[in-house]
């Protein structure tokens, strides 16, 4: 049975990394009038009160959205802060948009936002949060089964966010396997896969499998607030992006550096952006990849 609930972690440094990068990708997708589909395989409840008793139990927002300084933020984070402001009309940063809300705020009438969630309580909360939102299409089903079944979307344009809770050890390999299947059905889709940096380094299994899959154009963005300590505890956040928008790496690099500089003074803090599998060399490949 699933036990993870994102309310205990909402607004932490990994959310700042993931959601600000998500805003950048969505910003790119809205530059053309053609409709797109956004598929969120692990949606969670979509909207969070950071002053709820659950969120306060861990207080992770203090080392995340409550700790970052907007005044020093690069232009790449502007949209993300606009999203936070629109969720807090009275000011402050009490209410925090999860990925479904970020997708709804950064898409248009012609776009579809497909949200998959399996946890009964989370699905109920997700339904209540978006019951008045006609563009949100909700599925209570398994993430990876849903991913393979739902691609390619009719729009043939768009992205998938894969943001698991990694409660099960085999998830790293299962995700790579499902992404490979989905990619074969929809090779021009963008896929954004979030993973934690933990001392046990399970994410290496995911990255190795992606690298061996034959998929090209996989960009990695990682931030680490400090060096790994002990046997557990998330010290960093990573994103693997398949078919990223053209020249996204510069924006991701500025965004990552700003997050680590804002939230850590450890000498081992770092932000890196690099290609896990580089750009395809053939002429015309870039055009085929979303354009
Ligand atoms: C990290 S949270 C998602 C947070 C969300 N993407 C966001 O950014 O706001 C992971 C979610 O995946 C859900 N989940 C875990 N295993 C799942 C599965 N096999 N199928 C669908 N949802 C699952 C959990 O219930 C949890 O809500």
């Amino acid at each position: 049975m699933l036990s993870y609930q994102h309310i205990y972690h909402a607004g932490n440094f990994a959310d700042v990394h993931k959601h600000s990068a998500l805003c950048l990708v969505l910003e790119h997708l809205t530059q053309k009038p053609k409709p797109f589909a956004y598929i969120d395989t692990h949606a969670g409840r979509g909207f969070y009160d950071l002053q709820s008793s659950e969120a306060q139990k861990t207080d992770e927002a203090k080392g995340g959205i409550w700790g970052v300084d907007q005044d020093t933020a690069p232009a790449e984070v502007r949209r993300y802060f606009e999203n936070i402001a629109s969720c807090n009309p009275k000011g402050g940063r009490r209410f925090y948009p999860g990925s479904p809300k970020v997708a709804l705020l950064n898409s248009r009438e012609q776009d579809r936002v497909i949200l998959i969630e399996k946890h009964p309580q989370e699905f109920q909360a997700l339904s209540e949060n978006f019951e008045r939102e006609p563009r949100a299409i909700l599925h209570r089903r398994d993430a990876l089964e849903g991913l393979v079944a739902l691609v390619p979307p009719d729009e043939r344009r768009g992205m998938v966010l894969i943001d698991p809770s990694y409660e099960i050890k085999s998830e790293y390999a299962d995700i790579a396997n499902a992404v490979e299947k989905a990619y074969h059905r929809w090779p021009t889709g963008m896929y954004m896969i979030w993973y934690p940096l933990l001392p046990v380094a399970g994410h290496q299994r995911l990255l190795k499998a992606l690298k061996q899959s034959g998929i090209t154009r996989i960009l990695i963005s990682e931030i680490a607030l400090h060096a790994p300590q002990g046997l557990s505890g998330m010290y960093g956040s990573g994103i693997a992006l398949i078919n990223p928008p053209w020249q996204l790496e510069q924006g991701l690099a500025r965004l990552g550096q700003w997050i680590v500089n804002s939230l850590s003074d450890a000498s081992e803090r770092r932000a890196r952006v690099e290609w896990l599998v580089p750009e395809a060399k053939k002429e015309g490949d870039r055009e085929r990849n979303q354009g």
Side-chain angles (χ1 to χ4, degrees):
M1 188 56 208
L2 301 166
S3 61
Y4 181 93
Q5 285 178 273
H6 197 62
I7 182 68
Y8 291 97
H9 310 285
N12 68 4
F13 73 90
D15 267 6
V16 176
H17 182 217
K18 176 199 317 171
H19 295 145
S20 54
L22 177 60
C23 284
L24 270 189
V25 175
L26 289 166
E27 225 173 332
H28 170 86
L29 281 169
T30 53
Q31 277 167 9
K32 284 187 179 172
K34 265 177 90 178
F36 69 83
Y38 166 87
I39 302 174
D40 200 325
T41 57
H42 299 74
R45 65 181 71 169
F47 193 74
Y48 301 92
D49 178 356
L50 301 180
Q51 283 178 12
S52 63
S53 55
E54 296 99 321
Q56 283 187 333
K57 217 168 193 165
T58 54
D59 250 353
E60 290 191 21
K62 281 189 181 156
I65 187 59
W66 288 353
V68 287
D69 178 9
Q70 189 171 356
D71 293 341
T72 60
E76 284 76 15
V77 202
R78 179 187 50 82
R79 191 69 161 260
Y80 172 63
F81 277 115
E82 282 171 8
N83 285 186
I84 306 282
S86 77
C87 295
N88 292 279
K90 292 183 182 157
R93 297 179 189 167
R94 173 176 174 175
F95 297 103
Y96 188 79
S99 53
K101 183 73 178 169
V102 171
L104 285 162
L105 287 170
N106 295 289
S107 53
R108 307 145 308 175
E109 216 171 299
Q110 65 266 40
D111 306 319
R112 287 191 304 148
V113 172
I114 299 164
L115 307 171
I116 303 173
E117 174 56 52
K118 193 173 178 181
H119 193 294
Q121 200 177 317
E122 292 302 286
F123 185 82
Q124 179 62 31
L126 180 71
S127 311
E128 285 164 14
N129 281 334
F130 300 113
E131 62 191 354
R132 280 194 217 94
E133 181 46 79
R135 288 189 304 115
I137 301 153
L138 274 53
H139 291 253
R140 186 175 163 201
R141 68 198 291 181
D142 179 70
L144 302 185
E145 174 274 321
L147 164 63
V148 179
L150 293 171
V151 298
D154 290 345
E155 296 83 350
R156 292 286 200 281
R157 185 169 182 264
M159 70 168 290
V160 178
L161 173 68
I162 301 160
D163 181 22
S165 36
Y166 294 100
E167 284 169 278
I168 306 160
K169 237 181 166 183
S170 65
E171 257 180 308
Y172 294 100
D174 295 344
I175 288 157
N177 193 21
V179 168
E180 193 179 339
K181 283 189 193 146
Y183 179 86
H184 284 299
R185 293 170 63 102
W186 188 29
T188 56
M190 277 191 234
Y191 300 82
M192 179 169 167
I193 309 157
W194 179 83
Y195 53 86
L197 297 186
L198 298 162
V200 286
H203 69 284
Q204 294 294 2
R205 244 173 300 150
L206 167 71
L207 298 185
K208 190 172 170 200
L210 287 176
K211 201 168 177 172
Q212 289 174 344
S213 69
I215 299 173
T216 55
R217 297 193 80 236
I218 310 180
L219 187 68
I220 300 296
S221 163
E222 286 184 359
I223 60 168
L225 297 189
H226 48 78
Q229 285 161 355
L231 294 175
S232 62
M234 183 169 69
Y235 67 92
S237 159
I239 293 165
L241 255 167
I242 299 172
N243 293 329
W246 177 234
Q247 291 190 332
L248 189 80
E249 54 265 47
Q250 289 89 337
L252 281 179
R254 281 190 285 271
L255 174 161
Q257 198 57 56
W258 167 74
I259 297 172
V260 297
N261 289 349
S262 297
L263 296 176
S264 171
D265 49 20
S267 60
E268 306 92 350
R269 71 183 178 197
R270 65 181 168 83
R272 74 176 179 115
V273 174
E274 56 190 58
W275 290 97
L276 180 71
V277 183
E279 298 259 20
K281 293 242 166 24
K282 274 182 289 170
E283 207 46 47
D285 277 2
R286 194 177 306 138
E287 282 71 22
R288 274 195 280 118
N289 288 323
Q290 299 267 336

